[in-house]
Amino acid sequence: MTNPLPTKARVAEYAGGVRRRVREGGLGPAPVLLALAVTWVVFQSLNDKFLSPRNLSVLSVDIVGTGMVAVGIVFVLLIGEIDLSVGSLAGLAGAVFAALHVNVGMTEWLAVVVAVVCGTAIGALHGFLFAKFGVPAFVVTLAGLLTWSGLMIYLLGPDSSISFSEDGLVASLTSRYYSAPGFTYGLAALCTAAYLLVSLRDRARRAGAGMPCRARSGIWVRTGLLAAVAFTTVAVLGHFEGLPLALLIFLGFIVASDLLLRRTPYGRQVLALGGGVEAARRAGVDVTRVRVSVFMIAGTLAAVGGLFVASRFTSASQVSGSGMLLINAVAAAVIGGTSLFGGRGSTWSALLGVLIIQSIASGMALLGVETAVQFMITGGVLITAVIFDSLARRTAASRVRT
Amino acid sequence: MPGQRQSQPLLALRGVSKRFSAVQALVDIELEIRAGEVVALVGDNAAGKSTLVKVISGVGPPDKGVIEWQGAPVQIRRPQDARLLGIATVYQDLAMCENLDVVANLFLGREIHRFGVLDEVEMERRTRELLHTLSIRIPDVRMPLAGLSGGQRQVVAIIRSFLGSPRLLLLDEPTASLGIQQTNQLLDLIEELRDQGLGVLLISHNMSDIKAVADRVAVLRLGRNNGLFDVNTTSQEQIISSITGAADHAVAHRPHPEEVWP
Ligand SMILES: Nc1ncnc2c1ncn2[C@@H]1O[C@H](COP(=O)(O)OP(=O)(O)OP(=O)(O)O)[C@@H](O)[C@H]1O
Ligand SMILES: [Mg+2]
């Protein structure tokens, strides 16, 4: 080992890092995981059907539509902006798909592509108006919310709903399950192994360059935790219908977007914009390009989410484009730990946040509580998350001033 | 090379003007910086020094005038243009991303990547190497910038300007929040870089720093050139009266700005 740093210094560096994280509220996902655990324990103790394979399976499919939209919201929040149009974009995508496929008779996959591209193009338009003309994103996307809701209602026609076939491509998005144990357990094993290999390789490279690196035991513990979560999920869902295709696609999107944000120059630029637009510009980041692309990503994911929502109902209707989708998606991103102030967060927060929101909804439904109460509780969770976020930001800001 | 160095400045500004809606910040500025030379730029607050730096670094392009690089006129419309020429800048307000760590800030806009994937190991290795050769101690290079002290942040901004081996350094009050030892270290470093053939534009309110490293002093007053002096043959009083615009007793009324402690 050609490590220039003595062990003692390395330990001190590590300990300093931990203390700092505790102080600045950068504990990562720990508080959110705790909140999720509490939610589950409470609802399970009130109704023992809550953690049943059946309910969890339904939950794991129900989160996908909102979750996809929330992943897009995470990108926008990271550059310190907001996109209020994602709810109506999701509804519009469902309506475009249904209108083209059912009313016009377009091939299903082509209608899907057109619907998603619609989302991308509209996102690009919002991003362009914001980045080029300096219209606040809040206003651009508020106008978008109205416009695209209007277009959706127009496309849905007098019935304000278009149903499509239950065994088509879009319907199968949320109705297909994989139950062959060889496949499901194999997938869990593959993901765990991939994580382990990547972690060990990163560690080896750092050690090879003589830099402080994670303890090997830490990697094994993390891999163990991941394996536990993966295999438990597969086992529990296997008791009902198996692994839902929707959940797999959702997880795929999260992993891919997380890698994009953390491991590529593009992701670095997105985070830089959230940390200071002027600083990023002076460092040579093309601010306009990054801004437009982020709104394109949000629009695309909103459309994808909209197709999942429509798939759940096997119809496109005003429900899917309702304001609730927007509110839940933004709340999910924030509850999951992405900062409203930009520059801090991860797409995994979309998963954790939407799990909490949907768990509350599902638990309340099991208990037969009215939606009124459910809204108030979700609102309470959201405000708690925002308070945490603001406190973390204040700690950081007060350190800047000294 | 030395002969050529004398004849042709690395960077020359000819009649550069810049106006902000209400303020004429720069009027017909002339300035030359040669390779292997430290030019100090001095002037009272709001004289236009930072504005001039931003003109050269592409952050705030001029309204009028010509910028010449090694004798040829160039367009510097964006920060990228300046970087491609080999101009590196430490801004007065530092302009760094508080949420990113030291390594990410150093390499922002020129990340090292392999097949489109960030090479964090290589970037961190080079960061440590750079800190080591400059004998600078930063406790944790993976700490977000928000967690560093003002002086530490200034040090990060300074070493960022050294990355990518620039040919012209623009330093806008780089010692403003540095301690005594760090200031001396930076001044030594500036001399070393000058001897390696870099051109340096140093903005400072501290006359002794300027006396220590600068070869020539350019004075700005209310956005205009107000004298160009050779440090070795000019008295401090002369320079100061040129800054304030008063011939006499200006010195008595204006103590030197002391170091700003973080
Ligand atoms: N972005 C801007 N918009 C409008 N006016 C500006 C802007 N930047 C600078 N100015 C004006 O230009 C003038 C020169 O400012 P500048 O920052 O260049 O001064 P300076 O010499 O760097 O002063 P200091 O020593 O305080 O740093 C000032 O009157 C200032 O108000
Ligand atoms: Mg200034």
Side-chain angles (χ1 to χ4, degrees), chain B residues 1-22:
Chain B
M1 278 304 270
Q4 195 189 1
R5 190 183 291 171
Q6 292 310 315
S7 63
Q8 208 173 67
L10 188 60
L11 179 93
L13 302 184
R14 312 256 180 243
V16 163
S17 301
K18 176 142 184 100
R19 185 182 182 87
F20 296 109
S21 49

Side-chain angles (χ1 to χ4, degrees), chain B residues 20 23 25 44-51 92 173 205:
Chain B
F20 296 109
V23 198
D44 264 336
N45 291 137
K49 306 181 295 294
S50 300
T51 307
Q92 186 170 15
E173 304 198 22
H205 290 294

Side-chain angles (χ1 to χ4, degrees), chain A residues 206 263 268 282-283 343 399, chain B residues 83 93 99 118 120 124 147:
Chain A
R206 293 183 64 86
R263 297 264 180 149
R268 188 51 55 79
R282 291 191 196 171
R399 287 190 56 80
Chain B
R83 179 185 285 178
D93 58 4
N99 59 330
L118 289 175
E120 293 284 357
E124 187 171 332

Side-chain angles (χ1 to χ4, degrees), chain A residues 5 13 20 24 205-206 209 211-212 262-265 268 271-272 275-276 278-279 281-284 343 399-400, chain B residues 59 79-80 83 91 93 95 97-99 104 109 111 114 116-121 124-125 128 139-140 143 147:
Chain A
L5 279 173
E13 188 170 309
R20 182 191 76 238
E24 285 168 11
R205 276 202 73 207
R206 293 183 64 86
M211 288 189 304
R262 279 191 310 114
R263 297 264 180 149
T264 67
R268 188 51 55 79
L271 287 168
E278 186 55 22
R281 190 169 78 89
R282 291 191 196 171
R399 287 190 56 80
V400 169
Chain B
V59 169
Q80 292 93 311
R83 179 185 285 178
Y91 295 98
D93 58 4
C97 295
E98 299 286 335
N99 59 330
E111 293 84 4
R114 300 190 305 174
V117 177
L118 289 175
D119 191 346
E120 293 284 357
V121 177
E124 187 171 332
R125 194 187 62 73
R128 287 177 188 277
D140 179 0
M143 181 188 287

